[in-house]
């Protein structure tokens, strides 16, 4: 018992228990509290989200906001307040893995200098308005497995009493294409007489489904007493997302790619939606022209895959999408008099075709900034008509009959 009691004393000397039951380590230093900054910076956007309506020829996106300098001390002397609009491209497969110049490419699109001479600001909030028209040819904000394109506002306030006060505000840029008319495509599959007519929309969205109308002609080839025909067994469709990026090298690593202006090209592909259809089509072997098979099915992007919208950046990043349709058809023989009793021949074919689709954000009810301005009327003069201020004579009085008519009541 004494041995057990002695051991418990030694154990109690090694560990210290807090009232909550937790063990505190020995010689733990107090945490360092960073010094409080004399001011902080905030950015309040006043314009709608930055959306390019249309393709690269878009008129751009206009954004505006307020830069707020919130001084917490009694006063704050500042030497300069500057803000840059930057476009940052990050390559996820660079030429040199540990080289920051090969990974990041920073481009300054616009710079603001809010003060031109040293100024002292009192306690409170001080606002600085800003605005800029983003060119429509710029790529939208993109995050894919090969590279990312991001935009942001970087603010820097220089003061002689402390370190510079910095703030970063991310800016999301989107692109929305107006839905064009449906596209009709015809595919021919020699050596057979099969032709496929497909009607679909060329622009799709990350959320929501779209209809694909499918019609196959030439499924029957009649002889004198027999006929050979094709019957659909299964239809598979999928949407593939392709991405390609060129990773450039910085001047220090030009020797790895063979010189200036060259880089390594990387490509990836992933499936973002698919389905198999085994029934639901309408078959008519008696239609004039070799019979036909009709089918209409919905297609969509699988939820949760976070698709990347189509983009083509001058930095080398390209993302595009394809709708791929595969039809499995089986051949069979039947008599012209008894078409219900068909005999499979054992021959089958896989008909494969693809269509380019563009994935874009929904435009919603928004319109481009240049369409929000009030209309201009060419037929209306610039000022209202003048008054007869210089006429000194007596104005002509209307006839008595007109005066009597003005006072009459029904």
């Amino acid at each position: 018992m004494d041995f057990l009691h002695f051991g418990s004393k030694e154990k109690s000397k090694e560990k210290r228990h807090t009232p909550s039951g937790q063990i505190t380590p020995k010689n733990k230093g107090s945490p360092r509290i960073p010094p409080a900054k004399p001011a902080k910076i905030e950015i309040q956007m006043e314009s709608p989200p930055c959306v390019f309506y249309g393709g690269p020829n878009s008129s751009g996106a206009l954004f505006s906001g307020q830069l707020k300098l919130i001084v917490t001390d009694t006063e704050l002397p500042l030497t300069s307040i500057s803000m840059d609009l930057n476009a940052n491209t990050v390559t996820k497969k660079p030429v040199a893995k540990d080289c920051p110049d090969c990974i990041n490419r920073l481009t300054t699109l616009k710079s603001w200098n809010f003060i031109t001479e040293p100024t002292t600001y009192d306690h409170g909030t001080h606002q600085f308005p800003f605005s800029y028209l983003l060119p429509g040819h710029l790529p939208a904000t993109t995050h894919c497995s090969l590279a990312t394109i991001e935009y942001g506002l970087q603010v820097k306030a220089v003061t002689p009493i402390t370190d510079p006060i910095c703030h970063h505000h991310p800016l999301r840029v989107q692109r929305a294409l107006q839905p064009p008319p449906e596209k009709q495509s015809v595919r021919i599959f020699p050596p057979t007489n099969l032709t496929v007519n497909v009607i679909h929309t060329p622009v799709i969205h990350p959320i929501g489904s779209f209809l694909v109308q499918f019609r196959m002609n030439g499924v029957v080839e009649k002889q004198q007493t027999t006929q050979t025909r094709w019957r659909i067994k299964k239809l598979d469709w999928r949407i593939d997302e392709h991405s390609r990026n060129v990773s450039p090298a910085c001047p220090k690593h030009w020797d790895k790619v063979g010189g200036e202006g060259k880089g390594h090209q990387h490509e990836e592909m992933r499936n973002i939606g698919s389905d198999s259809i085994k029934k639901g089509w309408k078959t008519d072997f008696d239609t004039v022209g070799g019979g036909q098979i009709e089918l209409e099915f919905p297609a969509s992007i699988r939820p949760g895959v976070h698709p990347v919208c189509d983009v083509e950046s001058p930095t080398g990043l390209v993302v595009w999408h394809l709708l791929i349709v595969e039809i499995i058809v089986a051949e069979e023989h039947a008599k012209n008099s008894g078409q219900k009793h068909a005999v499979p021949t054992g021959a089958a074919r896989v008909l494969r075709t693809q269509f380019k689709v563009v994935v874009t954000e929904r435009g919603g009810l928004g319109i481009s900034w240049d369409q929000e301005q009030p209309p201009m009327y060419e037929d209306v003069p610039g000022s209202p008509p003048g008054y007869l201020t210089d006429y000194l004579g007596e104005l002509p009085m209307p006839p008595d009959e007109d005066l009597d008519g003005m006072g009459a009541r029904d």
Side-chain angles (χ1 to χ4, degrees):
M1 297 297 293
D2 293 341
F3 176 77
L4 296 176
H5 182 69
F6 174 78
S8 64
K9 286 183 178 180
E10 290 295 325
K11 191 174 182 179
S12 63
K13 292 180 181 179
E14 294 178 358
K15 298 182 179 180
R16 181 185 302 175
H17 293 265
T18 59
S20 59
Q22 298 180 353
I23 301 175
T24 58
K26 289 184 178 181
N27 300 327
K28 181 180 179 181
S30 59
R32 296 184 61 182
I33 301 177
K37 294 184 178 181
K40 64 178 181 178
I41 296 176
E42 295 179 357
I43 291 182
Q44 180 181 359
M45 301 301 296
E46 298 178 344
S47 57
C50 296
V51 180
F52 297 144
Y53 293 96
N57 297 327
S58 170
S59 59
L62 182 65
F63 73 91
S64 60
Q66 296 282 344
L67 187 150
K68 294 184 178 181
L69 175 66
I70 304 174
V71 180
T72 56
D73 287 354
T74 305
E75 59 180 19
L76 175 65
L78 291 178
T79 306
S80 65
I81 303 178
S82 61
M83 183 174 69
D84 295 333
L85 172 60
N86 298 324
N88 187 24
T89 303
V90 179
T91 302
K92 297 185 179 181
K93 294 184 179 181
V95 176
K97 295 182 179 180
D98 300 329
C99 180
D101 295 333
C102 291
I103 298 175
N104 296 290
R105 283 170 289 172
L106 190 67
T107 304
T108 301
L109 303 177
K110 175 67 176 177
S111 297
W112 292 267
N113 292 317
F114 295 104
I115 60 176
T116 58
E117 58 184 11
T119 308
T120 301
Y121 292 92
D122 297 332
H123 177 82
T125 302
H126 306 272
Q127 298 183 355
F128 304 89
F130 62 88
S131 63
Y132 182 65
L133 176 61
L134 279 170
H137 68 273
L138 294 175
T141 301
T142 305
H143 295 86
C144 69
S145 58
L146 297 179
T148 62
I149 301 176
E150 295 179 337
Y151 298 89
L153 297 171
Q154 186 68 34
V155 187
K156 183 178 181 181
V158 180
T159 174
I161 61 175
T162 61
D163 295 335
I165 304 171
C166 300
H167 178 72
H168 178 75
H169 181 82
L171 186 66
R172 186 183 181 188
V173 179
Q174 299 173 291
R175 185 178 298 277
L177 300 179
Q178 298 298 329
E182 291 184 338
K183 183 178 180 180
Q184 182 174 358
S185 304
V186 179
R187 299 289 189 268
I188 302 174
F189 299 94
T192 66
N193 296 326
L194 297 176
T195 60
V196 174
N197 190 319
V198 178
I199 301 176
H200 68 96
T201 174
V203 174
I204 62 177
H205 306 287
I207 300 176
S209 61
F210 60 97
L211 287 178
V212 178
Q213 299 178 12
F214 170 89
R215 186 177 73 250
M216 179 183 292
N217 296 324
V219 296
V220 178
E221 183 178 354
K222 292 186 178 182
Q223 290 85 24
Q224 293 183 354
T225 59
T226 61
Q227 58 179 276
T228 303
R229 59 195 187 189
W230 296 93
R231 188 183 296 274
I232 294 181
K233 295 299 182 179
K234 187 176 68 169
L235 184 145
D236 297 332
W237 66 265
R238 70 177 188 269
I239 301 175
D240 291 342
E241 180 180 278
H242 297 261
S243 56
R244 182 177 65 243
N245 183 50
V246 178
S247 302
C250 67
K252 295 185 297 183
H253 299 96
W254 282 347
D255 55 340
K256 292 187 176 182
V257 296
E260 181 182 359
K262 297 182 179 180
H264 292 166
Q265 179 173 302
H266 304 276
E267 294 187 11
E268 285 190 0
M269 187 271 291
R270 64 167 181 160
N271 177 266
I272 59 175
S274 61
D275 194 10
S276 296
I277 302 174
K278 299 181 179 180
K279 59 181 180 179
W281 48 80
K282 180 181 178 182
T283 304
D284 187 0
F285 294 123
D286 298 328
T287 302
V288 179
Q292 69 177 13
I293 302 175
E294 294 182 346
L295 173 64
E296 183 178 273
F297 60 90
S300 63
I301 297 176
R302 186 167 58 251
V305 298
H306 303 291
V308 181
C309 294
D310 282 50
V311 65
E312 185 173 359
S313 172
T315 59
L317 178 61
V318 182
V319 179
W320 72 97
H321 299 81
L322 295 176
L323 170 64
I324 301 174
V325 180
E326 293 182 351
I327 312 126
I328 299 178
V329 294
E331 187 183 46
E332 59 185 23
H333 279 304
K335 294 183 179 180
N336 293 334
S337 58
Q339 299 182 9
K340 295 183 179 179
H341 302 285
V343 179
T345 62
R349 290 182 179 271
V350 178
L351 311 180
R352 184 179 183 272
T353 181
Q354 62 183 20
F355 311 93
K356 182 176 176 56
V357 292
V358 178
V359 178
T360 180
E361 299 288 347
R362 294 186 181 271
L365 300 177
I367 59 175
S368 181
W369 67 273
D370 54 346
Q371 299 180 2
E372 295 180 353
Q373 60 184 359
M376 301 295 292
Y377 300 99
E378 298 178 355
D379 298 335
V380 178
S383 60
Y387 295 94
L388 298 177
T389 56
D390 298 334
Y391 185 75
L392 301 178
E394 295 182 358
L395 295 175
M397 297 296 294
D400 296 340
E401 297 177 356
D402 296 341
L403 293 176
D404 295 339
M406 293 174 61
R409 296 183 179 179
D410 294 340

